[in-house]
Amino acid sequence: MKIVARDIPPRTVWALEQAGVHPLLARLFAARGVRAKEELDDGLARLLPPDTLRGTHEAAVLLADAMALDKRLCIVADYDCDGATACAVGVRGLRLLGAKNVSYLVPDRVVDGYGLTPPIAERVADSGADMLITVDNGIASVEGVSAAKARGLQVLVTDHHLPGPELPVADVLVNPNQPGCEFESKSIAGVGVMFYVLLALRSELRKRGVFDVATQPKLDALLPLVALGTVADVVKLDANNRRLVAQGLRRIRAGAMPAGVAALFKAAGRTAAVATTFDFGFALGPRINAAGRLADMTLGIECLLTDDAGRADELARMLDGINRERRDIEGGMRDQALLLAESLFATDGEGIEAPPPAISVFDANFHEGVVGIVASRIKDRFHRPTFVFAASGAPGKEQELKGSGRSIPGFHLRDALDLVAKRHPGVLLRFGGHAMAAGCTVAREHFKTFEQGLAQVAGEWLAAAALTRQIETDGPIAREYMRIDLVDTLHKEVWGQGFAPPTFSEEVEVVSQRLVGEKHLALKLKHQGQPIDAIWFSHTEPLPPKVKLAFRLDADEWQGVRRLRFLVEGAEF
């Protein structure tokens, strides 16, 4: 592991300080590419205009016409948190804007697979719907859209995933990554795309005289859901996404949120009044995702749709229970996957065992709903692009393996899958995704070919330096900033993918160390000559007396007293 410090442009720091930004925040923002205070304005007026997202005007006209005729609209969701929040935003928003007939359908991960498939299109048509709307999926569903059109359905595709070589022939496509779209925020989540469609629809309804600026529904009530889905999907938090998240957080902290979001905070033991992006990514998001992984995402969507606090609490408790089950399953799978990964190690030129350039593992007992999480854990452990496969549970597809992959910087996972598919025709039955996360299906008999093919591509694309894990930090932290109030200040900001939370690095003295709960390292350190407690979660190896640590600031509460501590992220020996 190598700890590297971010470049911090001093002139930018000075300019931000002169504009009134706190000195520590000025340093952190400058290191993350912020050049002026105006970029930190998270007001709704600063959001990118909806008309710059290709297809939103056409989508608004399509929806407004359908609503005028009381057509039946059916949203086809995805089974992750982004898909669930996008569905809830779509249902709530359309009803808010006057749609009388809005339903939804969410595919089953095991039986239906990903996206709008022809059987799902048939189910939507059989339900009596007139229009099919996809959220967080559909851009790769060429056959599914064709099947829907063949049954006479109008089709609106809203998605954010990268398109394949052929686009579906829908009535309207809204996707920032489709050819010809100049929308600046290419990283907007699926829930954000749906929110933008609703903004455009409201504008179209104003033009038609359905309501005016004074009487139009306030769509900002949907922003807590937009924020949750955006963070949970781990999309890059560019300026526009940060504004969406900041607006959602502001409403949640003020107590203005759907009953289901409040219930999820309660079930997770988190406090909504001091909500952070961490709560979205590590508390609420996993509980919603658990439904799609092990049960039925309808539970998650219903939790986000209900306005009944009692019903919301009941659903949130169910989701919490499913998430506990998911953690148990994940633990066993992770241990087995680690053993399988280590069996792939080979001795390098210096006689040291090292993992291959990419890792692919499969076990007949793996649960396909949890392979993505386990792939992420293996990737973090060995710093290699990783795929974890499970046997498909779909009837008649027992010989198919469904895999989920996670990548490291410098290795575009979807492009790598595309090259494997070209080099080994017929091995990949289906694939799709992003640079850092992707999914694919292979025949069981071709697993070894896939494993070797992916490792070969990784060996060609990744230099030795890229295979060494690096932690980017903000360098040392001055003693004057070692205060509880500044921990709270930092926590209030919007951090996440592409806008990393503040992490500092310095050489410290290790005074004592002990294991807590058999898997966490509790430390007493001397930092700049002063004592400080620290914790390194999921780490058991002892540290030398002096070591360079990468750490985040945190507040630990014990018997009502809050004390500063370090959360250790890594060490360089």
Side-chain angles (χ1 to χ4, degrees), residues 534-571:
I535 184 82
W536 192 346
F537 289 115
S538 301
H539 182 90
T540 57
E541 312 258 331
L543 297 178
K546 286 193 175 180
V547 64
K548 185 177 184 180
L549 293 182
F551 56 89
R552 291 188 288 118
L553 296 185
D554 187 47
D556 183 35
E557 187 166 336
W558 175 251
Q559 295 182 339
V561 178
R562 298 179 76 214
R563 292 173 296 187
L564 192 73
R565 71 171 177 180
F566 291 167
L567 294 182
V568 180
E569 297 285 305

Side-chain angles (χ1 to χ4, degrees), residues 161-327:
H161 292 90
L162 298 174
E166 181 182 357
L167 293 176
V169 186
D171 290 86
V172 180
L173 295 177
V174 185
N175 184 331
N177 292 301
Q178 68 177 303
C181 183
E182 298 179 357
F183 192 68
E184 291 178 26
S185 181
K186 299 298 183 186
S187 299
I188 191 169
V191 66
V193 174
M194 189 63 219
F195 182 69
Y196 263 75
V197 168
L198 294 170
L199 291 175
L201 174 59
R202 185 175 65 177
S203 177
E204 176 65 22
L205 293 172
R206 277 201 311 270
K207 288 179 189 174
R208 299 186 182 200
V210 176
F211 35 66
D212 56 28
V213 174
T215 61
Q216 68 182 6
K218 293 187 180 298
L219 296 177
D220 59 357
L222 303 173
L223 285 165
L225 296 173
V226 177
L228 170 57
T230 298
V231 174
D233 211 42
V234 204
V235 295
K236 180 183 178 183
L237 292 186
D238 57 24
N240 203 63
N241 280 338
R242 290 203 309 277
R243 290 185 185 110
L244 290 170
V245 173
Q247 288 288 333
L249 277 173
R250 185 171 299 165
R251 284 159 177 77
I252 288 172
R253 289 168 183 163
M257 71 196 101
V261 174
L264 285 166
F265 269 97
K266 181 180 174 183
R270 310 295 295 179
T271 304
V274 290
T276 67
T277 51
F278 180 90
D279 294 318
F280 291 156
F282 295 94
L284 276 66
R287 283 166 172 78
I288 294 173
N289 276 327
R293 296 184 188 283
L294 300 186
D296 181 355
M297 185 48 91
T298 302
L299 288 172
I301 295 173
E302 283 299 310
C303 183
L304 300 177
L305 284 177
T306 184
D307 292 318
D308 183 306
R311 176 66 174 153
D313 281 341
E314 178 187 0
L315 290 167
R317 286 195 300 271
M318 291 173 66
L319 292 169
D320 184 60
I322 296 169
N323 191 51
R324 292 175 191 277
E325 181 186 355
R326 185 272 304 170
R327 284 201 296 258

Side-chain angles (χ1 to χ4, degrees), residues 91-111:
V91 172
R92 282 183 173 276
L94 288 169
R95 289 173 179 169
L96 204 59
L97 293 171
K100 295 183 176 63
N101 300 297
V102 187
S103 62
Y104 73 90
L105 183 154
V106 58
D108 182 284
R109 180 187 292 266
V110 174
V111 177

Side-chain angles (χ1 to χ4, degrees), residues 471-513:
I471 296 183
E472 276 195 313
T473 76
D474 298 288
I477 182 166
R479 288 295 308 174
E480 63 188 286
Y481 298 138
M482 298 279 288
R483 307 197 312 262
I484 287 288
D485 64 306
L486 278 178
V487 172
D488 295 336
T489 297
L490 294 179
H491 282 181
K492 286 177 184 174
E493 298 296 327
V494 174
W495 312 104
Q497 183 72 19
F499 205 79
T503 304
F504 306 97
S505 57
E506 280 179 82
E507 186 175 275
V508 297
E509 181 183 339
V510 180
V511 178
S512 67
Q513 50 191 313

Side-chain angles (χ1 to χ4, degrees), residues 21-83:
V21 179
H22 186 284
L24 178 58
L25 288 175
R27 176 181 151 197
L28 298 172
F29 291 150
R32 286 155 181 77
V34 175
R35 294 289 172 262
K37 187 179 180 181
E38 293 72 36
E39 296 176 47
L40 301 171
D41 182 355
D42 59 16
L44 288 174
R46 294 277 297 179
L47 286 175
L48 294 172
D51 59 9
T52 60
L53 179 55
R54 183 175 186 178
T56 50
H57 172 68
E58 293 81 358
V61 171
L62 187 73
L63 287 167
D65 288 347
M67 287 163 57
L69 296 172
D70 281 341
K71 287 189 175 180
R72 288 159 293 189
L73 315 176
C74 181
I75 295 175
V76 174
D78 187 22
Y79 40 66
D80 67 358
C81 187
D82 186 19

